Amino acid sequence: MTTMAQQTTATADASHGTGASAIRRHELAAFLRHRREHIAPEQVGLPRGSRRRTPGLRREEVAQLAAVGVTWYTWLEQARDIQVSVQVLDALARTLMLDPSERSHLFQLAGAVDPTPATACPSVTPAMRAVLEQLEPYPACLQNSRYDILAHNRTYGLLLCDLEAVPPEDRNCMILSYTNQDWQSSIVHLEETQRLMAARFRAAMAGHLGEPAWKMLLGRLRTESPAFRAVWERHEVVSHRSKRKEFLNRHVGRILVDHTDLWLSPDVGPRMVTYVPADEESAVRLGKLHEIALQGARGTARPAPTHR
């Protein structure tokens, strides 16, 4: 039988939860209004007009740019108790031109997990970036357990494709391996690589089954890649291990490397991925690739004849 004290405690807990949620909704509403009012129409390609009295953008303009309903967005700024998907939050963050800190704040206020790779990750310290640079001409990058590429050195940036030309939200090795033609054409044993990556991804996902970012990545792969869907249905699982890999780089030709994961924490999470040349010829070609990467701006380097 429930006592009066227990009922009082339960009521207080429920009230506390509701109160905290309401505070967060009001903070979110105020944050959205503030950011909307501090973006000039010209910044998003809209004419200012002579009759504009609203500072910054109008609510209907934000709704249109973010592809959401005007009424729904109005409710959001009124702190109504409505559900907000991560897709809508992502669209609002882009529309309101939020920087990484502001974007993180937006998702925290909405009680959601940002599904995109973090451009400012605790693992990507200035010291870690310096280590990546010091490893040149060996290709190296920082990845999390979801295969997001968090940082990379110049040689890695040209190893499989022009990584700087890839939108930040697409800089994920699973996405690139299954949907990016340049990345795929650089992997000599593509089908085997795809199968092993999917098996490692399934093993890693076991600890993140309820997390939106993982579910969104899996959903995207299933939607965009028939090859991934076929491999995923095999339910294969393997653990991470070092492996010799062979790439066909469009600038310098065939490269044979030894792949190593250097874990940055006791958990199987963030890691530094390194590729060390497996023979002298590959070492020379990686040196040439590094020189090309240093030469200049994206798109100015012309592909050299393929060496086999």
Side-chain angles (χ1 to χ4, degrees):
M1 180 179 296
T2 303
T3 66
M4 182 64 70
Q6 288 173 326
Q7 290 177 344
T8 302
T9 301
T11 302
D13 289 343
S15 175
H16 174 76
T18 303
S21 178
I23 291 172
R24 196 167 61 223
R25 289 199 307 272
H26 281 85
E27 286 291 328
L28 174 61
F31 179 65
L32 290 172
R33 286 196 301 271
H34 180 272
R35 291 300 302 135
R36 172 173 60 81
E37 292 171 356
H38 284 77
I39 296 180
E42 296 85 352
Q43 290 180 271
V44 292
L46 295 175
R48 175 170 291 278
S50 59
R51 297 183 178 181
R52 180 179 291 271
R53 296 180 179 179
T54 303
L57 298 177
R58 301 185 180 99
R59 284 176 175 172
E60 56 267 28
E61 290 171 335
V62 172
Q64 181 180 4
L65 291 169
V68 300
V70 176
T71 300
W72 186 92
Y73 180 74
T74 300
W75 287 350
L76 197 59
E77 282 203 6
Q78 292 175 345
R80 300 278 190 97
D81 189 5
I82 58 176
Q83 295 296 318
V84 189
S85 70
V86 292
Q87 294 92 337
V88 168
L89 290 171
D90 177 70
L92 289 175
R94 295 174 188 276
T95 298
L96 297 174
M97 305 173 69
L98 303 186
D99 64 26
S101 296
E102 292 168 335
R103 180 186 174 96
S104 175
H105 185 62
L106 173 70
F107 276 82
Q108 286 182 337
L109 290 177
V113 177
D114 190 346
T116 62
T119 55
C121 173
S123 301
V124 187
T125 62
M128 294 307 301
R129 291 186 185 277
V131 171
L132 290 176
E133 293 177 5
Q134 289 299 312
L135 288 173
E136 302 271 23
Y138 296 169
C141 70
L142 297 180
Q143 294 181 19
N144 59 21
S145 56
R146 206 170 58 237
Y147 283 103
D148 295 326
I149 301 172
L150 307 174
H152 60 87
N153 63 18
R154 295 183 182 90
T155 312
Y156 184 90
L158 288 182
L159 181 63
L160 292 114
C161 72
D162 183 358
L163 198 54
E164 292 300 318
V166 176
E169 63 270 19
D170 292 342
R171 293 179 192 174
N172 174 282
C173 292
M174 291 292 294
I175 295 293
L176 292 167
S177 295
Y178 279 97
T179 67
N180 185 289
Q181 292 184 353
D182 290 340
W183 189 280
Q184 292 172 337
S185 65
S186 298
I187 300 175
V188 175
H189 305 290
L190 179 61
E191 290 187 8
E192 178 188 359
T193 298
Q194 289 177 328
R195 182 177 61 82
L196 289 174
M197 288 185 68
R200 287 196 294 266
F201 180 69
R202 181 181 285 279
M205 190 172 181
H208 306 272
L209 292 175
E211 297 180 20
W214 286 76
K215 292 192 292 185
M216 286 187 66
L217 175 57
L218 178 59
R220 180 178 176 184
L221 288 165
R222 281 173 163 167
T223 300
E224 297 184 12
S225 174
F228 175 82
R229 290 198 300 271
V231 171
W232 191 252
E233 291 305 317
R234 299 172 65 165
H235 290 268
E236 294 179 330
V237 177
V238 297
S239 59
H240 285 268
R241 61 179 183 273
S242 299
K243 179 177 173 59
R244 180 157 293 183
K245 296 187 175 183
E246 192 173 2
F247 301 124
L248 186 59
N249 182 267
R250 70 189 185 100
H251 295 289
V252 299
R254 196 172 294 265
I255 298 174
L256 192 65
V257 294
D258 288 323
H259 161 266
T260 303
D261 288 320
L262 304 173
W263 303 100
L264 303 181
S265 68
D267 300 322
V268 181
R271 63 187 183 276
M272 179 175 290
V273 179
T274 62
Y275 294 107
V276 176
D279 54 40
E280 184 60 32
E281 186 176 31
S282 295
V284 171
R285 290 179 175 177
L286 281 178
K288 291 180 179 178
L289 185 62
H290 181 229
E291 292 175 4
I292 293 172
L294 290 176
Q295 280 175 359
R298 178 180 62 200
T300 59
R302 295 179 177 272
T306 299
H307 303 279
R308 296 185 179 275

